[in-house]
Amino acid sequence: MTVRHALAITGAVAFASLGVGATTLNVRLGAWESTTAITASGSLIPPEKLARMTPQRRAQMEAALQAFSGKPITTSYCLTQKNLDDNRLFHDTAMCTRKVLSATSSRIEVDQRCGEGQRLSHMHVVIQADSPTTVTMRSEGQTASGGTIHVEGHGRWLSDSCAGVDKD
């Protein structure tokens, strides 16, 4: 697992696609910005991959993961009516399967599994719509290699127009 792969999985979790459901969050459509901080501990890299790395490469990977840990990552995106109708909130990844545990207009709770085999991660995600223009997110998870991942984030609505932002 590369640093980019680990961050892609955990970052995608931050404001993940939630699958089909009858209830959607009461949030405004348009341009949004989210800031997430990911903290990881233990090994995020499968043991067999670590065994194939040179000591220098392993040190580089571990240093890169530590450098990103806890640092905020901010992204912008476009939230459309179709996203809400499909309960696809913000960023999505095809590598993940999700089970909606509960959904109301102000809170969604999800179990998510990303990857497979030695790259499998399991996350428990809660997204709270604090208002139609702000959301908060908290996620706890574990990787197949025994590492733990904690993600905290918040999103804020920017404008009705999605001009200049990712239309994921």
Side-chain angles (χ1 to χ4, degrees):
M1 173 184 292
T2 65
V3 171
R4 228 175 253 211
H5 181 74
L7 290 174
I9 288 174
T10 55
V13 166
F15 290 101
S17 164
L18 301 176
V20 177
T23 304
T24 60
L25 286 181
N26 178 24
V27 293
R28 293 200 52 182
L29 302 178
W32 280 78
E33 177 181 83
S34 68
T35 301
T36 57
I38 302 162
T39 307
S41 62
S43 179
L44 299 181
I45 303 168
E48 77 282 350
K49 189 158 190 161
L50 281 174
R52 292 191 309 262
M53 288 183 189
T54 65
Q56 294 83 8
R57 180 67 178 143
R58 181 178 181 159
Q60 286 175 333
M61 292 288 289
E62 290 170 348
L65 286 170
Q66 275 190 333
F68 286 110
S69 185
K71 295 211 167 82
I73 300 167
T74 301
T75 59
S76 298
Y77 48 88
C78 182
L79 182 63
T80 67
Q81 185 63 50
K82 180 167 177 27
N83 296 135
L84 283 180
D85 291 346
D86 295 343
N87 272 335
R88 272 193 58 234
L89 300 175
F90 316 125
H91 297 292
D92 193 13
T93 177
M95 300 184 296
C96 300
T97 59
R98 293 160 194 91
K99 178 180 180 186
V100 176
L101 302 175
S102 65
T104 69
S105 63
S106 62
R107 185 176 186 273
I108 296 180
E109 186 173 355
V110 176
D111 268 337
Q112 174 172 284
R113 295 185 184 276
C114 296
E116 58 186 36
Q118 294 295 318
R119 292 185 178 204
L120 179 68
S121 66
H122 175 248
M123 301 294 289
H124 182 84
V125 181
V126 176
I127 298 174
Q128 178 79 35
D130 303 315
S131 75
T133 60
T134 61
V135 296
T136 54
M137 187 281 312
R138 183 179 182 98
S139 178
E140 301 286 341
Q142 188 166 0
T143 66
S145 54
T148 60
I149 301 168
H150 174 79
V151 182
E152 295 221 17
H154 62 275
R156 67 183 182 100
W157 177 81
L158 300 173
S159 74
D160 290 322
S161 171
C162 288
V165 297
D166 182 16
K167 294 202 166 94
D168 176 316

